[in-house]
Amino acid sequence: MSLFTLHWHQVAGVHSIIRNIFYPNPHPDNITGMLVADEVGLGKTCQAICVILFLVTAVLRQKKKFEPPPLLKIRPYLGETKDIPDLPTLVVVPGSVQAQWAVEFHIPDLPTLVVVPGSVQAQWAVEFRQSVNPEAFEVFTYGNTSESRRDFWAPDGPYHRSSKYPCQRIIIATHSSLSHDFGLLYASSPKPSEHGGRLPWDARRLPGFKDHVRTTLYSQSYLTVVVDEAHEFRNPGVKHTAAVAILKQSSARLIMTATPLQTGTRDISAMGRLVGVPYFKTAEALQVDKADLAEIKKAQRSLGPDHDPLSSGDDPQKQVSSRIAQGKRKYFEGHILRRTLDSVDNEKKRLIDIPPYKTIVVPLKLLEKET
């Protein structure tokens, strides 16, 4: 493949992400994360890579004193800073697709990934080649054993031996590697009432933190952290807290899942914390979630044992859940990207032609502890 071409909706998606994580003015509550929730087949990975390349290119242009991209002239602040940090990128993926992500980053013709007005396309192509070329990135596959991870971070190991700028280094790690590194350094907080008001997603440092941190993913700050299949991190516990902790060390966040709402409205709050929405990190949000869950269970009990969850009749449980979900939606304004296979482009055409699929809905009765 000699040319990398984006579909219209992917160009629009990349622009939307960049437009909404940069701001005209600095503020501590500026949200620099995006929930990329497009349906399967619409190219979430492609869009994430394009955003990464845009940010890396912006850093390199900054270093070379080139003008910033037109959008960043209008919206120059990433959170609170105008200076985009020269930091590596971390991509956290399921182990089954780690190798595939590494392959995806080897794109032969990088200049085609820059999204610019047509009037300056040629100029950008020239300047891009001066600051970025196909050999400009070093992609590291983070190991899944303790020994390989120690070797990775050693002073003479792959990461520190790299001659690339930090922003040109891409680390691709698995979900399990992130959880492993977290477990060396932190403990998930106990219930808030048991430990001085700590919230369940607050990490507590273990005594050996200083001895281990140097050889973990938590030793670095990052330009971007991408969490793929982010619904795997929705449940309270070590995985969720590990993700929240690593995302605190990132300037930009891309939270990717085609199924952000899996089993209940608490999933929305979990996604909000990963995106970096301030409200979802508060004790108030935790208490609201508890009250919402109680209301949903009350509606569930009113249905009776013979209720068919697939029936089209009135379902108070679904109505309550829908109302709660709609109430949370306002907090994501500008920070969720969701298109389906039935969405249309600027010419009212379907976004992409892929073979039709059949959805099979199977009712599942959850145990009490799962609700």
Side-chain angles (χ1 to χ4, degrees), residues 36 38 43-46 48 90-98 100-101 104 172-175 178 225-233 239 243 247 254-258 271 274:
V36 184
D38 286 343
K44 291 186 294 297
T45 300
C46 169
L90 173 65
V91 182
V92 184
V93 302
S96 58
V97 297
Q98 185 182 30
Q100 180 60 32
W101 264 88
E104 297 276 5
I172 304 178
T174 63
H175 290 183
L178 181 69
V225 169
V226 180
V227 180
D228 194 17
E229 303 295 346
H231 55 272
E232 296 282 345
F233 294 88
K239 286 188 72 171
L247 287 162
L254 295 179
I255 310 304
M256 298 170 51
T257 173
M271 292 299 107
L274 299 184

Side-chain angles (χ1 to χ4, degrees), residues 24-96:
N25 300 296
H27 194 279
D29 287 340
N30 283 348
I31 300 169
T32 59
M34 179 69 77
L35 177 59
V36 184
D38 286 343
E39 269 193 343
V40 173
L42 293 181
K44 291 186 294 297
T45 300
C46 169
Q47 292 172 84
I49 291 174
C50 289
V51 172
I52 291 167
L53 295 179
F54 177 92
L55 292 173
V56 171
T57 304
V59 173
L60 296 175
R61 291 176 68 85
Q62 192 174 263
K63 283 179 173 292
K64 293 180 177 290
K65 308 299 183 185
F66 290 160
E67 282 195 2
L71 181 60
L72 299 193
K73 292 180 181 180
I74 303 169
R75 307 175 74 87
Y77 289 95
L78 181 60
E80 296 184 79
T81 181
K82 251 186 179 180
D83 295 322
I84 306 173
D86 179 14
L87 296 170
T89 290
L90 173 65
V91 182
V92 184
V93 302
S96 58

Side-chain angles (χ1 to χ4, degrees), residues 8-243:
W8 176 88
H9 72 276
Q10 293 167 338
V11 174
V14 172
H15 191 278
S16 176
I17 294 168
I18 295 166
R19 186 177 69 248
N20 284 293
I21 65 173
F22 282 88
Y23 292 82
N25 300 296
H27 194 279
D29 287 340
N30 283 348
I31 300 169
T32 59
M34 179 69 77
L35 177 59
V36 184
D38 286 343
E39 269 193 343
V40 173
L42 293 181
K44 291 186 294 297
T45 300
C46 169
Q47 292 172 84
I49 291 174
C50 289
V51 172
I52 291 167
L53 295 179
F54 177 92
L55 292 173
V56 171
T57 304
V59 173
L60 296 175
R61 291 176 68 85
Q62 192 174 263
K63 283 179 173 292
K64 293 180 177 290
K65 308 299 183 185
F66 290 160
E67 282 195 2
L71 181 60
L72 299 193
K73 292 180 181 180
I74 303 169
R75 307 175 74 87
Y77 289 95
L78 181 60
E80 296 184 79
T81 181
K82 251 186 179 180
D83 295 322
I84 306 173
D86 179 14
L87 296 170
T89 290
L90 173 65
V91 182
V92 184
V93 302
S96 58
V97 297
Q98 185 182 30
Q100 180 60 32
W101 264 88
V103 171
E104 297 276 5
F105 269 104
H106 291 91
I107 301 167
D109 195 358
L110 294 178
T112 61
L113 293 173
V114 183
V115 183
V116 297
S119 59
V120 296
Q121 186 179 31
Q123 173 193 341
W124 261 79
V126 171
E127 293 186 357
F128 194 107
R129 288 189 176 96
Q130 291 176 7
S131 56
V132 177
N133 61 62
E135 303 300 322
F137 292 89
E138 193 152 3
V139 180
F140 302 97
T141 300
Y142 195 60
N144 289 315
T145 66
S146 297
E147 183 179 2
S148 65
R149 288 191 282 264
R150 282 196 301 271
D151 291 344
F152 180 83
W153 296 114
D156 60 347
Y159 183 80
H160 293 293
R161 201 169 58 236
S162 174
S163 61
K164 308 297 185 188
Y165 287 122
C167 69
Q168 295 170 292
R169 305 177 198 178
I170 313 291
I171 302 171
I172 304 178
T174 63
H175 290 183
S176 58
S177 293
L178 181 69
S179 296
H180 174 274
D181 282 8
F182 177 84
L184 293 174
L185 306 174
Y186 298 101
S188 295
S189 290
K191 293 181 180 179
S193 59
E194 297 175 4
H195 199 279
R198 283 186 185 271
L199 296 169
W201 48 84
D202 289 337
R204 179 168 48 88
R205 286 187 179 184
L206 293 173
F209 179 90
K210 291 183 179 179
D211 297 329
H212 294 292
V213 66
R214 184 180 58 80
T215 57
T216 71
L217 293 166
Y218 293 88
S219 64
Q220 303 292 315
S221 293
Y222 298 97
L223 173 57
T224 309
V225 169
V226 180
V227 180
D228 194 17
E229 303 295 346
H231 55 272
E232 296 282 345
F233 294 88
R234 72 188 186 279
N235 291 326
V238 171
K239 286 188 72 171
H240 182 71
T241 309

